[in-house]
Amino acid sequence: MYSFKKLCFILLLLIACFNVAEAKKQKKKKSTENSQSKKKLSTSRTVKKKSQKEPPEIKTVALPISKIERSSLSDTSNPREVIITSAFKPSLKTAAKINFTAASLLADTNKLSVNYKIPSQNLFFSYQPVPIKPIALGIDSVASWQNEHFVKLGFGNFSSPFAEVGFSFGDRNSSSIAIHASHISSKGNLDFQQFSKTGFDVLSIFNTQSEHEWTAKAFYNSNTQYFYGIQPSNPVLTKNDLLQRFHLVGLELGVQNKQTGNYGLIYHPQIFVNYFVDNRKASEVNLIAKLPFTKSFSSLYAFKMGITADIANYQAPLISNTIKINNNLFFIDPTVQFKTPNFKLNLGIQPSWDNNQFSLLPNITAEAKIKETGLNAELGWVGYFQKNSYRSLAGFNPWIQTPTTILNTRISEQYIGIKGSSGNHLTYQARLSLMQLYNQALFVNNYTDGRSFDILFDPKIQNLRIHGELGYHIQEKFSFIGAINLNEYTNLATYDKAYGLTPMELTGTLKWKISKDLQVKADAFFRDGSNYQNKLLQSQKLNPAADLNLGAEFSVLPQLNLWIQMNNLFNNKYQRWNQYEVLGFNVLGGVVYSFK
């Protein structure tokens, strides 16, 4: 009995050992199969591209049942396994391709509407005298440069010979020289009513390789007239006693840059030297130096600066002693400019030294464009000096006596106005100004016989000025310019009237090229009489005056033209200056020969 129990115990022990060994074997087998499955899966994922015709790869994963599940089963000798089979098919996304079709474009039947804004070719002219500044002409590279010359000769009534010549030399690249000379004289019906004018000038322009342009001008002018405005009661005077002759010799030099360069700087320094002398040995030497420049920071902002030195020395030998006057004027005008297509603003000042007397003058202007009207509105407050010299005073009134005092006129002006164009041909401008004139020059007849004029300087005059212009232009075929100036001189500090100054003047100029061989021109003006003093020192006024001039020029040969000029068609013998009657109707005619 004891042996049988012992034999059963040994048998159960052997079965248990066999089951344990079999379980370890199955576990080792499953571990080997899992590692091989993971290796195959990793290898399959490294494949970049397979053919679509390959059969799908089948993966089998054996997952063991957990220990809890195995313990619940009655048979532990053959544990259960779950087999999961999945299909994996690697592929690439189909790339998009651009297909080109070889087909011609369809014809576009729609019309494209393009609007072109062509600016009107209008010019604005001002009747205020301004200095002539030579400007380089941009030569068309297609056209060939040709030097042209002309000789103009003529003669008229009042024993009036006329001659004028002009020559040009040089080329379009390096230099050019222009020579001009003229002479005219007349003799009227009154005693000693005669004059002559002779002028000669040479203008040279040189271009350098450094993009600079040099200008040089030398000139000479001679004006001869006589004091014929004498009264019948005057004593007998010789021709030499009434002679009034002026000579002017001058030289001008200047340089300017033609390219702004990298710094946006534009400069144009100039030097003027003049020597003016009369037949009584009164002389004046004048030196003017100008240094203007502009610095542009952008298309909107710019800074302008000008430095001017005007030095004059005047001497007049009189019977008692010799008068010596130094008339010097220095000023600078820094200005900041803001500019857009529709608005322009200048903000500046002008510190000035007039014979060591300091003045700070304003320089503020604004201009705005009113859209879709072609109208520009402008306003400003400006101050400036009018340099008076023996030369400028004699140019305004050739009958002046040798001056004993010379003062410069300081002007302060506040203005408002409009200007613009209408259509393609009509231009207009209007301005209302309130002006203060300090040391304004006035002209009164000498109290002895009245044939010469003394110069007086009023300390302060107020002037209300109305200025208007109207122009009509059709290319180069027709042009008309009319202007009006109204001056109301009031609140004079010393004198009763503004003697010698014109209160109203209406002018007009017409040029008409009727055909290729014929062109006409006309000038007309109407002037209100100025105030003057009679022998009793009483204020009186001259009669209004009207004048009309008409001229024509036409071709008779390819290089020969005939011309005629008729002045004072109304034969109105008016007086611009008291006691000085102008010539009546006069006519000049002659020929013009042009050659190359």
Side-chain angles (χ1 to χ4, degrees):
M1 187 67 179
Y2 174 75
S3 300
F4 177 77
K5 292 180 179 180
K6 187 177 180 180
L7 182 62
C8 292
F9 175 76
I10 293 172
L11 180 62
L12 292 174
L13 183 61
L14 291 174
I15 294 172
C17 293
F18 178 79
N19 289 335
V20 171
E22 189 69 18
K24 289 182 180 182
K25 185 178 179 180
Q26 292 293 335
K27 185 177 180 180
K28 185 177 181 180
K29 182 179 180 180
K30 291 178 182 178
S31 177
T32 303
E33 290 177 355
N34 289 338
S35 62
Q36 291 178 358
S37 176
K38 290 180 180 181
K39 186 175 180 181
K40 291 180 180 181
L41 179 62
S42 175
T43 305
S44 65
R45 288 180 179 177
T46 58
V47 178
K48 299 299 181 176
K49 185 176 180 182
K50 288 186 178 181
S51 175
Q52 295 182 359
K53 295 182 180 180
E54 292 180 0
E57 180 181 341
I58 300 176
K59 291 184 178 182
T60 303
V61 180
L63 299 178
I65 301 177
S66 63
K67 295 180 180 181
I68 299 175
E69 292 176 345
R70 287 200 303 266
S71 62
S72 61
L73 298 176
S74 58
D75 187 5
T76 60
S77 63
N78 188 16
R80 295 183 180 181
E81 293 181 358
V82 179
I83 306 301
I84 299 175
T85 302
S86 64
F88 176 74
K89 182 181 178 181
S91 63
L92 295 177
K93 185 178 180 180
T94 305
K97 296 183 179 180
I98 301 176
N99 297 326
F100 296 94
T101 303
S104 59
L105 296 176
L106 298 177
D108 189 2
T109 59
N110 297 325
K111 294 183 179 180
L112 180 61
S113 178
V114 181
N115 296 324
Y116 295 94
K117 186 178 180 181
I118 302 175
S120 58
Q121 299 178 358
N122 299 328
L123 300 176
F124 292 94
F125 294 89
S126 175
Y127 281 88
Q128 297 179 357
V130 295
I132 298 177
K133 298 180 180 180
I135 300 177
L137 176 64
I139 305 299
D140 189 359
S141 59
V142 178
S144 60
W145 174 271
Q146 292 182 346
N147 294 313
E148 297 183 354
H149 321 286
F150 75 92
V151 177
K152 186 176 183 178
L153 302 174
F155 193 82
N157 62 336
F158 297 112
S159 302
S160 302
F162 175 83
E164 184 180 8
V165 296
F167 305 96
S168 63
F169 307 94
D171 54 61
R172 66 183 179 184
N173 296 321
S174 59
S175 64
S176 63
I177 299 175
I179 301 175
H180 179 262
S182 63
H183 172 81
I184 186 173
S185 62
S186 294
K187 185 176 181 180
N189 297 326
L190 301 178
D191 294 336
F192 308 108
Q193 189 184 24
Q194 62 184 80
F195 75 92
S196 66
K197 295 182 179 181
T198 303
F200 175 80
D201 62 83
V202 179
L203 174 63
S204 301
I205 301 176
F206 302 94
N207 296 316
T208 64
Q209 296 181 355
S210 59
E211 298 297 335
H212 283 78
E213 180 181 271
W214 291 82
T215 59
K217 182 180 180 180
F219 57 91
Y220 168 78
N221 291 323
S222 176
N223 295 336
T224 302
Q225 52 269 323
Y226 296 87
F227 291 103
Y228 66 90
I230 55 179
Q231 301 295 331
S233 59
N234 289 340
V236 178
L237 299 173
T238 63
K239 199 171 184 179
N240 290 332
D241 296 332
L242 301 175
L243 177 63
Q244 178 85 314
R245 177 179 292 161
F246 302 111
H247 298 282
L248 173 64
V249 180
L251 179 64
E252 300 177 4
L253 296 175
V255 61
Q256 63 179 344
N257 59 330
K258 300 169 63 176
Q259 300 291 338
T260 58
N262 298 328
Y263 300 98
L265 189 65
I266 300 175
Y267 49 87
H268 187 194
Q270 293 176 291
I271 297 179
F272 307 87
V273 181
N274 302 319
Y275 177 71
F276 186 77
V277 63
D278 65 6
N279 57 300
R280 292 179 294 275
K281 296 183 179 181
S283 62
E284 181 182 60
V285 179
N286 191 196
L287 172 64
I288 304 174
K290 296 182 179 181
L291 180 58
F293 64 89
T294 302
K295 168 66 176 179
S296 298
F297 296 98
S298 65
S299 60
L300 299 179
Y301 298 96
F303 176 76
K304 293 184 177 181
M305 170 72 85
I307 304 174
T308 302
D310 193 334
I311 304 172
N313 179 266
Y314 168 75
Q315 296 184 3
L318 300 181
I319 297 176
S320 58
N321 56 2
T322 300
I323 297 177
K324 295 182 179 181
I325 299 175
N326 293 324
N327 186 13
N328 302 326
L329 177 63
F330 304 92
F331 61 88
I332 59 177
D333 52 351
T335 304
V336 177
Q337 184 182 77
F338 175 76
K339 185 179 180 181
T340 65
N342 297 322
F343 183 74
K344 181 178 180 181
L345 176 65
N346 289 328
L347 297 176
I349 56 176
Q350 188 182 92
S352 306
W353 293 265
D354 178 20
N355 295 312
N356 297 326
Q357 184 177 357
F358 176 76
S359 298
L360 184 61
L361 306 179
N363 184 16
I364 303 173
T365 62
E367 182 177 332
K369 182 179 181 181
I370 303 176
K371 294 182 179 180
E372 299 178 357
T373 62
L375 182 67
N376 292 347
E378 58 179 4
L379 58 88
W381 180 24
V382 295
Y384 51 93
F385 273 92
Q386 177 182 303
K387 180 68 180 294
N388 294 321
S389 61
Y390 189 20
R391 173 192 175 186
S392 64
L393 296 172
F396 184 72
N397 184 354
W399 318 111
I400 62 173
Q401 189 61 267
T402 302
T404 58
T405 303
I406 299 178
L407 300 176
N408 299 319
T409 303
R410 178 166 58 92
I411 303 174
S412 177
E413 179 181 1
Q414 299 88 33
Y415 68 87
I416 184 172
I418 58 173
K419 63 180 180 180
S421 60
S422 178
N424 298 328
H425 309 290
L426 184 65
T427 60
Y428 54 87
Q429 180 181 7
R431 176 180 290 187
L432 175 64
S433 302
L434 179 62
M435 309 173 68
Q436 300 289 340
L437 312 177
Y438 301 91
N439 296 327
Q440 174 63 44
L442 306 178
F443 304 87
V444 295
N445 294 84
N446 188 277
Y447 67 93
T448 56
D449 57 7
R451 71 173 183 263
S452 62
F453 287 81
D454 294 329
I455 304 173
L456 308 175
F457 292 93
D458 196 289
K460 184 178 180 181
I461 302 177
Q462 183 172 312
N463 178 25
L464 180 64
R465 172 178 293 178
I466 299 176
H467 172 76
E469 292 184 16
L470 182 66
Y472 190 84
H473 311 272
I474 302 178
Q475 297 177 351
E476 297 181 356
K477 298 179 180 179
F478 180 87
S479 66
F480 170 78
I481 306 170
I484 184 172
N485 285 309
L486 299 174
N487 296 289
E488 183 68 24
Y489 299 102
T490 58
N491 299 331
L492 279 75
T494 304
Y495 301 99
D496 184 32
K497 299 291 182 180
Y499 302 116
L501 304 183
T502 304
M504 190 275 288
E505 186 175 23
L506 178 64
T507 60
T509 300
L510 181 145
K511 295 181 179 180
W512 186 13
K513 190 173 183 180
I514 300 177
S515 63
K516 180 180 178 180
D517 300 329
L518 176 62
Q519 58 182 352
V520 297
K521 61 179 181 177
D523 301 304
F525 72 85
F526 176 80
R527 180 187 298 122
D528 193 9
S530 59
N531 293 280
Y532 69 95
Q533 276 188 350
N534 59 14
K535 291 183 178 182
L536 302 177
L537 302 181
Q538 297 174 345
S539 298
Q540 293 183 337
K541 189 177 182 179
L542 296 173
N543 295 327
D547 202 339
L548 177 63
N549 307 322
L550 182 64
E553 184 174 341
F554 54 92
S555 302
V556 293
L557 292 175
Q559 295 178 321
L560 184 65
N561 292 357
L562 298 180
W563 65 274
I564 185 172
Q565 178 68 38
M566 296 174 287
N567 302 321
N568 198 357
L569 290 176
F570 300 142
N571 196 28
N572 185 7
K573 299 181 180 180
Y574 57 89
Q575 297 182 25
R576 168 62 182 91
W577 300 101
N578 184 40
Q579 298 184 194
Y580 284 87
E581 181 182 287
V582 302
L583 296 174
F585 173 77
N586 61 89
V587 58
L588 292 171
V591 297
V592 180
Y593 180 72
S594 302
F595 56 97
K596 299 179 181 180

